[in-house]
Amino acid sequence: MARTMTTRIILSLYLACMSIAVNAQKQWTLDECIAYATRNDLTLKRSDVAIRTQEETYKTASKSWMPTVNADLSAMLNFGMSLDLLLRQSFVYAPAVVTAELPIDISGGRRFAKNAEEMQLKSLEEARNKAEKDISMKIAMEYLQLLYAKSQYRIVETERKLAAERVEMVRTLVDGGSRSEGELTEANSSLTEAEYNCLEAMHHIASARLALAQTIMLNDTADFDIADIAESNTMACDSNDVNNNAAIRQLTMKMEADKYRLKEAKSELYPKLSLTGALGIFGYSALKSGESYEDYKKFWKNHNEVIALKMSIPIFNAYTTRGKIRQATLAVRDTQLAIDEEKKNLSDEIAKLQLAISQYDGQQAKLQTLVKQREQAYEYQKTRYEGGLATWLELIEADSRLHEARLQSEQTRMKLNMSRQILALYFGSRGS
């Protein structure tokens, strides 16, 4: 008996220390967890890099109307027989040419390409919003799991205290000679089981806390704990709520980009027009019979200016343009189907959540009433047991039924709150 008491004292001290440690930790809110994860998540950081890369692509496409300027310098040495086959010649031909070309976008291809890159940029920004929303939802679910584990601990801790009170009550009755030693042994057994349940609940809390800390990428978990959250009352939803979802917005922007790419592909069917200008300086040196030194100087420095309007008319390019048009058309169709699928899945998920909230809300009211009734039943059986009118089995059965009702009520409350919080995340808001 002394050894049992020593073990129980150690367990009680351990549970007390664990409870004090939990309460002493800094409590993070759900918003703080999400904000910390948003700053450190690697997926979001990669999304930021992708957005910056697309910004540069868009800037390049938006300046495609500007002219291109190139400078060319070459040299050529020619020697041997001249074209008349009678005189030998040798000359150096060293031109330096600066050319500029200004495209005239008569088909709108460059404009469509710029608009496509702009929509693609917006699509990537919405994709980042979607990734952030997914991370927020995952954190919210793990946050609620940790809250549930803590609520479970509070329930089993209450049961442990009740078991400890029953041990003292039975010991007093045994000392008074109205109860047997066997009932005291049963009471101690129930207390040991309750203490074990407390330890297990503590381990569940530690596991849930570690999972949440890892999700938000928090390395130092020594002082990490979370605060309770207010229950959300989010219930209503209409078509605008679905259309404002980040995933829907991302796919909508992508479809707009695909439409512009389709127009860009169709622009390949039209002629291309450009204005070209060139300024050349040609160095020429030739030695032929009959040429004077003046002729040599005249051909050595020769300026040449060219302005030309060039048009390219597509005739046949091995079906490349037709293939691009068909691929772009199919891309628009595929994105539209993806939007329809995402809307359907989102609407179905919201409908399920709303139905679950309605069911859990009704169950919670009934379970709260049940808990009060079973608390009264337990107190009644406890009074009867102390007066010798009820057996130990009847008291334990009343306690078991009370414990079961409390667990069911807490589980339903957490499911209700979790469903409401997830629905609030779908709508872009949440309780904090």
Side-chain angles (χ1 to χ4, degrees):
M1 179 66 70
R3 184 175 181 180
T4 303
M5 289 298 297
T6 302
T7 304
R8 181 157 295 118
I9 291 172
I10 294 174
L11 283 172
S12 299
L13 290 174
Y14 172 76
L15 291 171
C17 291
M18 290 289 289
S19 179
I20 292 172
V22 168
N23 294 328
Q25 292 169 339
K26 175 185 179 297
Q27 292 188 328
W28 291 47
T29 65
L30 178 56
D31 286 333
E32 288 175 337
C33 290
I34 292 175
Y36 189 88
T38 302
R39 291 193 302 268
N40 296 280
D41 187 77
L42 298 178
T43 300
L44 295 181
K45 288 182 178 180
R46 292 188 62 187
S47 296
D48 291 335
V49 173
I51 290 173
R52 289 196 294 269
T53 302
Q54 183 61 28
E55 286 175 349
E56 296 302 322
T57 303
Y58 169 67
K59 289 178 182 178
T60 302
S62 63
K63 294 178 174 58
S64 61
W65 59 270
M66 300 181 68
T68 57
V69 181
N70 297 290
D72 298 316
L73 178 64
S74 62
M76 181 178 67
L77 174 63
N78 194 336
F79 56 89
M81 296 298 294
S82 64
L83 295 178
D84 57 14
L85 301 179
L86 298 176
L87 298 174
R88 295 183 64 82
Q89 66 176 359
S90 64
F91 62 87
V92 175
Y93 181 62
V97 183
V98 177
T99 60
E101 182 176 4
L102 177 63
I104 301 175
D105 194 16
I106 59 176
S107 63
R110 286 179 169 82
R111 184 174 70 256
F112 296 142
K114 183 198 75 170
N115 293 338
E117 298 302 337
E118 182 181 9
M119 291 298 105
Q120 182 65 22
L121 175 59
K122 292 181 179 180
S123 175
L124 289 176
E125 291 172 346
E126 292 298 339
R128 189 197 183 280
N129 293 336
K130 177 181 179 298
E132 184 174 345
K133 182 63 69 66
D134 291 341
I135 292 171
S136 299
M137 190 167 295
K138 182 179 180 182
I139 291 173
M141 294 182 70
E142 293 188 352
Y143 193 101
L144 292 168
Q145 288 292 341
L146 178 53
L147 286 180
Y148 177 66
K150 293 174 70 175
S151 67
Q152 293 289 86
Y153 171 76
R154 287 194 293 269
I155 291 175
V156 296
E157 173 63 15
T158 300
E159 294 299 320
R160 186 189 69 83
K161 291 179 180 178
L162 287 175
E165 291 176 1
R166 284 197 299 269
V167 167
E168 295 303 321
M169 176 186 68
V170 175
R171 180 178 289 111
T172 301
L173 294 174
V174 170
D175 293 342
S178 61
R179 294 295 174 181
S180 65
E181 287 288 341
E183 292 183 359
L184 180 58
T185 303
E186 290 292 336
N188 282 319
S189 176
S190 298
L191 177 57
T192 302
E193 182 179 0
E195 290 169 341
Y196 172 80
N197 291 335
C198 285
L199 289 174
E200 190 175 37
M202 275 292 186
H203 293 155
H204 289 164
I205 292 175
S207 298
R209 182 187 292 115
L210 178 60
L212 178 58
Q214 290 176 340
T215 300
I216 67 175
M217 302 187 71
L218 179 66
N219 295 324
D220 186 9
T221 60
D223 297 324
F224 176 66
D225 193 22
I226 61 173
D228 204 353
I229 56 177
E231 294 187 0
S232 171
N233 292 320
T234 306
M235 282 290 294
C237 174
D238 55 33
S239 59
N240 292 328
D241 294 319
V242 175
N243 293 331
N244 288 331
N245 180 265
I248 303 298
R249 294 197 305 269
Q250 185 260 329
L251 289 172
T252 301
M253 294 297 103
K254 182 179 182 300
M255 187 174 69
E256 292 299 317
D258 291 338
K259 287 180 178 179
Y260 280 119
R261 290 197 174 95
L262 175 58
K263 293 179 179 180
E264 180 187 2
K266 289 181 177 180
S267 70
E268 297 290 330
L269 298 172
Y270 297 91
K272 291 181 174 60
L273 188 65
S274 62
L275 183 65
T276 303
L279 173 63
I281 301 176
F282 302 90
Y284 178 84
S285 175
L287 295 175
K288 295 193 295 185
S289 61
E291 287 186 347
S292 64
Y293 181 69
E294 294 299 326
D295 295 328
Y296 168 80
K297 290 194 298 181
K298 179 177 65 176
F299 286 103
W300 178 247
K301 293 184 178 180
N302 179 23
H303 292 250
N304 182 267
E305 296 85 14
V306 177
I307 297 178
L309 188 64
K310 182 173 67 174
M311 176 177 287
S312 174
I313 301 175
I315 297 177
F316 180 74
N317 62 354
Y319 298 106
T320 301
T321 300
R322 187 181 71 171
K324 289 181 179 179
I325 293 174
R326 288 183 175 180
Q327 290 175 359
T329 303
L330 291 173
V332 173
R333 176 60 177 162
D334 181 67
T335 306
Q336 182 60 60
L337 291 173
I339 291 174
D340 295 340
E341 182 181 15
E342 187 68 29
K343 284 183 177 180
K344 180 183 181 304
N345 293 338
L346 184 59
S347 297
D348 292 346
E349 188 65 27
I350 288 175
K352 290 178 182 178
L353 285 170
Q354 289 177 328
L355 179 60
I357 289 171
S358 178
Q359 292 175 343
Y360 292 146
D361 199 20
Q363 292 173 0
Q364 179 66 6
K366 295 294 184 182
L367 287 170
Q368 287 176 345
T369 302
L370 180 62
V371 168
K372 292 180 181 179
Q373 291 173 345
R374 290 189 174 177
E375 284 177 348
Q376 294 174 357
Y378 174 77
E379 292 298 327
Y380 174 71
Q381 292 293 351
K382 179 180 177 183
T383 302
R384 292 183 70 237
Y385 178 79
E386 290 175 346
L389 300 176
T391 65
W392 172 255
L393 182 60
E394 290 174 328
L395 179 62
I396 293 301
E397 183 178 357
D399 174 63
S400 177
R401 290 167 62 84
L402 173 59
H403 180 68
E404 180 183 4
R406 284 173 172 169
L407 285 178
Q408 288 179 345
S409 177
E410 185 61 24
Q411 288 174 353
T412 303
R413 187 186 74 83
M414 291 305 300
K415 289 178 181 178
L416 175 61
N417 200 16
M418 184 178 295
S419 299
R420 284 175 170 169
Q421 291 294 327
I422 293 173
L423 191 60
L425 284 171
Y426 277 129
F427 294 163
S429 62
R430 58 182 175 272
S432 59

